[in-house]
Amino acid sequence: MRGAGFSFLTSEKFGGGKMTAEAVIAFLETLKIPEGPLAGQPLRLAEFQKRFVRGALEPENMVACLSIGRGNAKTALSAGVSLACLMGVIDDQPKREIIFAARNRDQAKIAFQFLLGFVECLPEAERELFTVRRGSKLEVEYAGANGGLARCISADGKSVLGGAPNLAVMDERAAWSGEKGDSLENAILSGLGKRGGKALIISTSAPDDANTFSRWLDEPPPGTYVQEHRPAFGLSADDLDSLLIANPGAAEGIGATPEWLVAQARRAIARGGSALASFRNLNRNERVAIENRSQVVTVDEWMGAEVDSEALPPRDGPCIMGVDLGGSRSMSAAAFYWPNTGRLEAFGSFPAQPALADRGAADGVGDRYEQMAARGELWTQGEATVPPGPWLAALVAKLDGTMPVCICGDRFRHAEFQEAMQAAGLARVPFVWRGFGWKDGAEDIERFRRALFEGHVATRPSLLLRSAFADAVTLIDPAGNHKLAKARSLGRIDAAAAAILAVAEGARRMARPEPKGGRLLWA
């Protein structure tokens, strides 16, 4: 929203009944900017804002989702649409109800304050029709055009039971707490049907695919309009073109300027860590966890290991194989690592049932498994389980006739590994038993991080490994030891575990001194 020259039009001038999106856009452009450098100037909607209003007000849509970088006036836009509903521009049903919902009352108050700002800019005759309550309840009541009431609620489903909203704004949905947030959302959606109402779900990206807001974007049910401004994964944080994808308002005078965004990106890159993760999540609208203290590696740290095929080191020297043997229905993954050159390759397998598309939907990752299969990083083997022996044989076949110098795996799966290696013809290959607890896990994770940060790991761009490390975190005991764990219950970190095992063993072998001669034999 930015300044333009329009005169105010009262709600009556738009007529009654259900209104078209163009009429609502015309109404919004009679309002004035309530705050900021352009405060007091008439509004002019940007193209991406008009597109969202049109999609949200399509008769067949009940829910409209907007995911965009911070500072692009998504809350102000939803507040303006709320005012249109409150004044009977969208719907002239009597006693209309508008809900501003958020994780807590203070967060919902942000949208509420934008609504009040728009009201204060109305002509005096219109302002007199509004009653504002700022006590224990935050409410705005409208006395004209059959009346209406707008109120704030927090993420407690009980606070909205029995309501019948004409319009609900769910602000920063990705930040809502799990169970309480879902309860509030379900209560709101169930109430919308009473009046044929609509819901606006707006937020920056969630930190992962399992978040409810991510599910709305990735798997929208019928009657849902989705508008997501998220750049492609893996680009530099200061890439201007992708910054403008996440911040379309920057090119139209809304929020931060392109120059400011690039400058902030470079500061975040220089600081690294949580600062860079926060910038990617909030300003680039990427699904990156802000709290990264317990991550194995951040997205940017891992991206530094990905190289083009032309720059990929050769398969030279001994090869170490790390294996994370999956359970009855989970993924089995393996990684090959050549410590002499730093080359890393990783592969995974699922059983054929259920299909990859169904499994991706159940795990909350959409078509990611199908993409991995198309890239040759993942395949199905077996029906209900991945057969360990044939699977190991298929993996070794990818080495084109060479054999790994050792295989690393979980010591608690000792019997299964022995049987699988016997069946795969690998009985003569030495096995290195490693635990995934505090003792072995802390050493392996630290050796893996050191090798990665020192540039001793190089791999082709791998969606399998990117996905695994995005879900991989560490649990830290009081002594500072790290143990590998999942960031979410549906996460698949098997490939990350296999890579850590292989790289850590390679680092141990490279650190050992080479033998300089034969040993003495005492008779």
Side-chain angles (χ1 to χ4, degrees):
M1 294 179 175
R2 54 178 176 167
F6 290 89
S7 61
F8 177 76
L9 299 175
T10 62
S11 59
E12 285 79 4
K13 293 184 180 180
F14 294 96
K18 298 281 186 178
M19 301 307 298
T20 65
E22 299 307 319
V24 173
I25 291 172
F27 168 78
L28 293 176
E29 292 188 330
T30 67
L31 303 176
K32 294 183 179 180
I33 299 174
E35 58 184 59
L38 301 178
Q41 296 187 25
L43 293 178
R44 181 160 66 88
L45 298 186
E47 284 303 316
F48 76 92
Q49 294 174 318
K50 293 180 181 179
R51 181 153 53 96
F52 180 68
V53 173
R54 293 184 183 115
L57 296 183
E58 282 290 330
E60 64 270 17
N61 292 332
M62 185 185 80
V63 176
C65 300
L66 176 62
S67 175
I68 196 169
R70 175 170 287 184
N72 283 271
K74 59 183 180 296
T75 303
L77 176 63
S78 62
V81 175
S82 300
L83 180 61
C85 183
L86 183 62
M87 297 178 67
V89 176
I90 295 178
D91 190 341
D92 63 354
Q93 294 184 45
K95 300 186 183 300
R96 294 170 297 277
E97 181 181 356
I98 293 89
I99 289 177
F100 293 108
R103 181 174 182 175
N104 53 51
R105 186 175 183 268
D106 290 339
Q107 190 176 19
K109 189 177 179 180
I110 296 174
F112 189 81
Q113 293 289 7
F114 272 111
L115 175 63
L116 294 183
F118 288 136
V119 170
E120 291 168 358
C121 295
L122 295 176
E124 184 177 354
E126 285 287 338
R127 291 201 305 269
E128 291 178 352
L129 299 175
F130 290 88
T131 302
V132 180
R133 303 183 184 95
R134 291 188 173 92
S136 59
K137 294 182 179 180
L138 293 175
E139 297 180 343
V140 173
E141 187 171 358
Y142 180 63
N146 294 321
L149 178 69
R151 61 193 180 99
C152 286
I153 61 172
S154 60
D156 178 2
K158 296 179 181 178
S159 65
V160 76
L161 291 177
N166 297 78
L167 179 70
V169 177
M170 305 186 205
D171 198 13
E172 293 299 344
R173 179 65 181 91
W176 292 16
S177 57
E179 293 184 4
K180 286 188 176 181
D182 290 344
S183 297
L184 173 60
E185 178 187 284
N186 294 334
I188 290 173
L189 295 180
S190 65
L192 290 173
K194 300 177 183 180
R195 293 191 177 187
K198 293 180 178 290
L200 306 182
I201 306 179
I202 60 175
S203 183
T204 52
S205 275
D208 56 61
D209 297 328
N211 187 282
T212 302
F213 183 64
S214 298
R215 302 293 292 270
W216 275 108
L217 302 177
D218 298 342
E219 305 165 20
T224 303
Y225 172 75
V226 173
Q227 185 171 322
E228 184 177 20
H229 298 265
R230 179 158 60 105
F233 184 82
L235 298 175
S236 174
D238 62 351
D239 179 73
L240 179 58
D241 291 339
S242 58
L243 277 170
L244 293 179
I245 291 175
N247 301 272
E252 301 198 47
I254 298 173
T257 64
E259 295 76 16
W260 185 90
L261 289 170
V262 172
Q264 287 298 110
R266 289 172 179 167
R267 290 190 189 98
I269 292 171
R271 293 176 62 189
S274 61
L276 182 54
S278 177
F279 182 85
R280 283 190 174 278
N281 181 244
L282 300 177
N283 295 96
R284 290 183 58 85
N285 202 38
E286 295 180 354
R287 294 182 187 177
V288 177
I290 296 176
E291 291 295 335
N292 70 331
R293 297 177 192 171
S294 61
Q295 282 184 275
V296 176
V297 291
T298 67
V299 172
D300 291 271
E301 289 167 347
W302 174 251
M303 295 297 295
E306 293 190 349
V307 297
D308 296 332
S309 298
E310 295 77 10
L312 189 67
R315 290 177 165 183
D316 187 33
C319 172
I320 297 170
M321 182 176 178
V323 178
D324 187 359
L325 205 57
S328 57
R329 291 175 59 87
S330 60
M331 178 189 290
S332 293
F336 298 115
Y337 181 60
W338 287 263
N340 287 3
T341 62
R343 177 169 177 147
L344 177 68
E345 300 177 10
F347 304 94
S349 291
F350 277 122
Q353 298 298 328
L356 292 180
D358 297 333
R359 193 182 292 272
D363 289 353
V365 296
D367 64 347
R368 188 183 300 175
Y369 296 148
E370 294 173 293
Q371 293 182 42
M372 293 177 188
R375 295 161 64 108
E377 303 165 0
L378 180 70
W379 68 87
T380 60
Q381 191 166 349
E383 287 299 320
T385 64
V386 176
W391 178 69
L392 285 179
L395 284 166
V396 174
K398 292 184 174 293
L399 294 177
D400 300 325
T402 63
M403 295 290 284
V405 295
C406 70
I407 297 177
C408 303
D410 187 356
R411 64 162 51 95
F412 292 102
R413 309 290 292 275
H414 183 280
E416 286 183 78
F417 269 116
Q418 283 191 322
E419 295 168 2
M421 292 175 65
Q422 187 73 32
L426 302 173
R428 294 180 177 271
V429 177
F431 200 99
V432 178
W433 307 108
R434 303 296 295 174
F436 285 102
W438 303 114
K439 182 179 182 296
D440 290 350
E443 178 192 340
D444 289 348
I445 289 170
E446 183 57 33
R447 287 185 180 273
F448 170 81
R449 284 171 168 168
R450 188 184 299 274
L452 179 69
F453 298 158
E454 291 178 351
H456 299 320
V457 178
T459 180
R460 289 191 185 95
S462 170
L463 185 57
L464 175 69
L465 285 172
R466 288 181 188 176
S467 178
F469 279 109
D471 279 328
V473 298
T474 61
L475 302 179
I476 307 173
D477 72 0
N481 298 308
H482 292 255
K483 180 173 70 171
L484 190 64
K486 295 180 181 180
R488 61 189 184 96
S489 60
L490 297 176
R492 304 288 186 180
I493 64 171
D494 311 83
I500 290 171
L501 289 173
V503 173
E505 178 61 21
R508 278 189 292 270
R509 289 175 175 253
M510 294 298 290
R512 295 170 188 161
E514 295 184 4
K516 297 182 179 180
R519 297 179 180 178
L520 293 176
L521 178 64
W522 295 94

